[in-house]
Amino acid sequence: MAYVPGVALLAALVVGCSAGADGNANGADSKAGSPTVTPAPPGKYLTLPAPCRAVPRSTLKDLLPGAAELPGDQQDKVFRGSAAVTYDTDRKVGCSWKSDAPSATRSLSIDFERVVSYDPAVSDDDRADTVYAKKEKAAGLSSSATPGPPEEKDKKGEESEESEESGKTKDPAGADATGSTDPSPSGSSSESGQDTDGAPGSSSSPEEALPSRILDNLGDAAFLQDLPKRAGSTAQHHSVSVVFRTSNVVVTVRYAEQPALITQVPDGRELQEKAQALARKLAEALSE
């Protein structure tokens, strides 16, 4: 009889544990129907290329005329480039080159930005698309490939603002070419709705570049921004930027010329063609 209380106590503990287990099971069952968030897929790129080695020397010789005629040590310095200052080379890197020739100074820079989304509901690609869209909008362009609800509400207002900017076009899918005193679309490079990289039939002169525009067949989305000299400026500086996105990486190519004489005018069309050619090479290299 002395052991009976101990047996009773053990039985009580077993019953209590069973009740606790049932309670936990019931609690788990009550949460089973709650929605679960599936993390968005990561971006394709986990690293970035070495920017100062991303452009072959043969390409640099073409983009930086006069550099190949420099003495060996000076030539190497030009083609080596200058790496951009960055504190996170996994997220953003860049490099720039500059060549001073008797007739003109040419400069080139490239930037790679790897976008990472810290929101499990938003993929890296979608976040990179948002980063790219902001750059496109800042250039005064609007792409039908990257619409969003907020932008859709202000679409008419944005189109009105874009039509006032000289030398730029709206989305080629049905937009006017601006920067011309002729209101008719005749002779416009965007009339066909396609990227006309120096296509025949354009009314532009050899030195006159095509306007800023959305580009086709370059990464997942791309645009070109043409920046001729500022009004009232005596310097004939001409700069071209090509920005494109491929998966979760946004790449920017800037190419510019400053003639030695103010009477010389840079060939804007040439600058555009070479900037685009380099951008396509970079896109191909990233996809390998």
Side-chain angles (χ1 to χ4, degrees):
M1 296 299 295
Y3 296 101
V4 171
V7 173
L9 176 61
L10 178 61
L13 290 174
V14 171
V15 171
C17 291
S18 299
D22 291 340
N24 292 337
N26 292 335
D29 290 341
S30 65
K31 297 180 181 180
S34 60
T36 58
V37 177
T38 302
K44 177 180 179 180
Y45 301 102
L46 302 178
T47 59
L48 291 172
C52 292
R53 295 199 298 268
V55 184
R57 176 166 289 212
S58 58
T59 302
L60 289 174
K61 287 181 178 180
D62 179 54
L63 295 172
L64 305 171
E69 284 72 39
L70 294 173
D73 56 341
Q74 296 182 31
Q75 183 180 142
D76 290 339
K77 183 179 179 179
V78 170
F79 291 142
R80 191 181 306 123
S82 300
V85 177
T86 178
Y87 300 99
D88 190 350
T89 54
D90 285 334
R91 295 291 300 277
K92 192 170 185 179
V93 295
C95 191
S96 60
W97 299 262
K98 185 178 180 181
S99 173
D100 295 316
S103 60
T105 296
R106 294 277 183 107
S107 59
L108 168 70
S109 69
I110 58 174
D111 292 292
F112 296 89
E113 181 178 358
R114 186 176 69 90
V115 181
V116 178
S117 173
Y118 295 101
D119 185 346
V122 180
S123 68
D124 292 348
D125 283 19
D126 289 342
R127 176 58 183 159
D129 192 47
T130 300
V131 172
Y132 165 83
K134 289 181 179 179
K135 294 178 181 291
E136 186 181 272
K137 186 176 180 180
L141 299 168
S142 174
S143 171
S144 59
T146 55
E151 296 180 2
E152 187 67 25
K153 294 179 181 179
D154 300 331
K155 184 176 181 181
K156 293 183 180 180
E158 290 179 3
E159 290 179 350
S160 176
E161 293 176 1
E162 291 165 5
S163 64
E164 295 176 358
E165 297 194 24
S166 174
K168 298 179 180 179
T169 61
K170 296 180 291 182
D171 182 359
D176 299 328
T178 60
S180 171
T181 56
D182 184 0
S184 68
S186 175
S188 168
S189 62
S190 62
E191 183 177 3
S192 62
Q194 298 179 351
D195 174 21
T196 53
D197 302 337
S202 173
S203 60
S204 301
S205 64
E207 297 81 12
E208 185 179 352
L210 296 172
S212 301
R213 61 200 182 277
I214 304 299
L215 299 177
D216 296 327
N217 304 318
L218 176 56
D220 296 314
F223 71 87
L224 180 148
Q225 185 178 22
D226 186 81
L227 298 172
K229 73 166 188 173
R230 296 180 179 178
S233 174
T234 57
Q236 297 284 355
H237 183 271
H238 197 126
S239 177
V240 171
S241 294
V242 175
V243 180
F244 70 90
R245 178 184 73 83
T246 174
S247 186
N248 61 316
V249 170
V250 179
V251 183
T252 301
V253 175
R254 299 182 184 88
Y255 188 42
E257 178 182 346
Q258 173 71 62
L261 302 176
I262 61 174
T263 55
Q264 294 176 324
V265 179
D267 188 339
R269 186 180 294 268
E270 178 195 5
L271 295 175
Q272 287 195 12
E273 290 175 350
K274 290 187 174 183
Q276 288 183 78
L278 175 57
R280 296 186 191 283
K281 287 182 179 180
L282 295 175
E284 291 173 0
L286 283 170
S287 64
E288 293 177 353

